[in-house]
């Protein structure tokens, strides 16, 4: 009896944590949308020019092999985020909480499986493993490159409304099918989360006493099947409603695009700066 009660408490606690995670995800998305409407530097730039600027820096970060060049690029990003009224701690935490962990897992084999002089050996049977100074330095460059690229993507999303970003992709001749799928995925993932949130609230409001772990697991499995069924039905209904209203596959936005000379200047400076970062990477080691 005690074991069943503990199992029930564990399941209820897990569901409550899931609910809080869903709510925080939705609130985070709304909070992110608020940053794109601030009167910052990047928010005032035309979305097409902004997308071109970020593409230049992403290519520069991908091609650069210098730690110091990447560090300079990241400092420029921090200045741009500051000028765009993005909170410093929010921007840094959003990028660097998970990057060192996942990038480190990817780089661990390359750091320890090296040839030549090592800092120390880890003998395992007939094989010897160990990091070298060069492999550690290469791992740091890789992590910083990933951090710069993710920071660019996060800063672009934070300072650009989603509809304007999709319309900018159309200006770059990205296939309409890709932008349509991206738009639908972004919009209806939150509706899907709200549906899951409502199901949990309905379950919690109708539960009077404690339930066993078996009943909790049965409800979770049944809810997953119900959510899957609702998502398929909702996708068909949404598509039918869009076609009935004359949808042609074109993303529309309320904002009127107009490239000013300041937008062209920012795009040109970003292009030249990205070239300088790539070239200087051969000298800044």
């Amino acid at each position: 009896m005690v074991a069943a009660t503990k199992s029930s408490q564990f399941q209820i606690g897990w569901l409550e944590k899931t609910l809080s995670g869903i709510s925080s995800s939705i609130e985070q998305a709304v909070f992110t949308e608020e940053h794109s409407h601030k009167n910052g530097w990047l928010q005032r730039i035309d979305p097409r020019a902004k997308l071109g600027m970020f593409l230049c820096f992403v290519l520069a970060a991908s091609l650069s092999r210098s730690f110091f060049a990447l560090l300079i690029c990241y400092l420029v990003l921090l200045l741009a985020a500051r000028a765009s009224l993005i909170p410093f701690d929010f921007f840094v935490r959003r990028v660097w909480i998970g990057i060192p962990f996942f990038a480190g897992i990817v780089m661990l084999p390359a750091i320890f499986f090296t040839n030549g002089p090592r800092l120390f050996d880890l003998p395992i049977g007939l094989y010897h493993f160990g990091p070298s100074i060069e492999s550690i330095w290469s791992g740091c460059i890789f992590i910083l490159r990933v951090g710069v690229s993710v920071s660019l993507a996060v800063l672009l999303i934070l300072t650009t409304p989603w509809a304007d970003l999709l319309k900018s992709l159309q200006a770059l001749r990205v296939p309409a099918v890709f932008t349509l799928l991206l738009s639908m995925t972004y919009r209806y993932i939150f509706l899907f989360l709200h549906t899951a949130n409502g199901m949990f609230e309905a379950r919690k409001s109708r539960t009077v006493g404690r339930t066993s772990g078996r009943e909790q697991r049965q409800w979770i499995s049944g809810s997953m099947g119900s959510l899957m069924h609702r998502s398929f039905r909702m996708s068909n209904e949404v598509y039918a409603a869009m076609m009935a209203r004359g949808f042609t596959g074109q993303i529309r936005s309320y904002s009127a695009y107009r490239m000013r000379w300041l937008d062209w200047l920012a795009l040109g400076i970003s292009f030249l700066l990205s070239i300088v970062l790539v070239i200087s990477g051969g000298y800044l080691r």
Side-chain angles (χ1 to χ4, degrees):
M1 184 66 181
V2 176
T5 303
K6 289 183 178 180
S7 176
S8 176
Q9 291 176 351
F10 172 77
Q11 295 290 339
I12 293 175
W14 180 82
L15 289 174
E16 290 178 351
K17 290 180 180 179
T18 304
L19 175 63
S20 63
I22 292 173
S23 302
S24 63
S25 299
I26 297 174
E27 291 174 359
Q28 186 70 22
V30 175
F31 186 68
T32 299
E33 193 70 22
E34 291 181 358
H35 288 299
S36 62
H37 297 290
K38 290 182 178 180
N39 190 24
W41 174 60
L42 286 174
Q43 287 87 338
R44 294 194 298 266
I45 295 179
D46 189 277
R48 295 168 294 179
K50 195 188 311 182
L51 184 60
M53 293 166 55
F54 281 84
L55 287 177
C56 290
F57 277 106
V58 167
L59 290 176
S62 302
L63 297 175
S64 179
R65 299 181 178 179
S66 170
F67 180 86
F68 297 103
L70 291 171
L71 185 61
I72 293 173
C73 184
Y74 185 69
L75 292 177
V76 172
L77 282 177
L78 292 180
L79 292 176
R82 181 66 177 177
S84 304
L85 306 179
I86 304 298
F88 180 79
D89 56 343
F90 170 76
F91 178 66
V92 173
R93 282 188 288 105
R94 184 156 186 168
V95 175
W96 289 105
I97 287 180
I99 283 181
F101 177 74
F102 292 104
I105 292 178
V106 174
M107 285 301 297
L108 276 179
I111 291 176
F112 284 92
F113 292 86
T114 58
N115 297 322
R118 304 184 182 93
L119 295 177
F120 56 87
D121 283 335
L122 297 175
I124 301 178
L126 300 177
Y127 300 96
H128 291 267
F129 308 98
S132 63
I133 297 178
E134 184 178 357
S135 64
I136 294 176
W137 187 249
S138 299
C140 293
I141 293 176
F142 175 78
I143 292 175
L144 184 58
R145 182 184 292 126
V146 174
V148 171
S149 301
V150 175
S151 299
L152 284 165
V154 169
L155 187 59
L156 176 62
I157 295 174
L158 286 176
T159 57
T160 310
W162 187 249
D164 294 339
L165 184 59
L166 292 178
K167 197 170 182 179
S168 301
L169 292 176
Q170 284 188 339
L172 295 179
R173 299 297 186 267
V174 176
V177 176
F178 177 78
T179 55
L180 177 62
L181 291 177
L182 196 60
S183 174
M184 297 294 291
T185 302
Y186 178 82
R187 289 177 182 273
Y188 289 98
I189 189 64
F190 300 110
L191 184 58
F192 183 80
L193 290 176
H194 276 297
T195 303
N197 192 2
M199 291 178 64
F200 177 80
E201 289 290 346
R203 165 74 176 183
K204 194 174 183 179
S205 63
R206 288 169 173 82
T207 303
V208 179
R210 294 186 179 274
T211 56
S212 63
R214 180 180 179 182
E215 292 175 342
Q216 290 284 336
R217 289 189 294 270
Q218 288 178 351
W219 178 80
I220 292 174
S221 60
S223 299
M224 292 173 62
S226 177
L227 277 175
M228 186 66 65
H229 175 71
R230 289 187 182 185
S231 63
F232 281 120
R233 186 178 62 183
M234 183 180 63
S235 63
N236 294 328
E237 292 176 353
V238 168
Y239 180 75
M242 292 169 60
M243 296 301 295
R245 289 165 175 80
F247 180 73
T248 59
Q250 182 180 1
I251 304 298
R252 301 184 182 274
S253 174
Y254 291 106
S255 303
Y257 287 166
R258 183 180 178 184
M259 289 285 290
R260 302 167 300 172
W261 69 271
L262 289 176
D263 300 326
W264 289 108
L265 180 62
L267 182 60
I269 292 176
S270 300
F271 179 73
L272 293 176
L273 185 57
S274 61
I275 293 178
V276 170
L277 288 173
V278 173
I279 296 175
S280 62
Y283 301 97
L284 299 174
R285 293 290 183 181

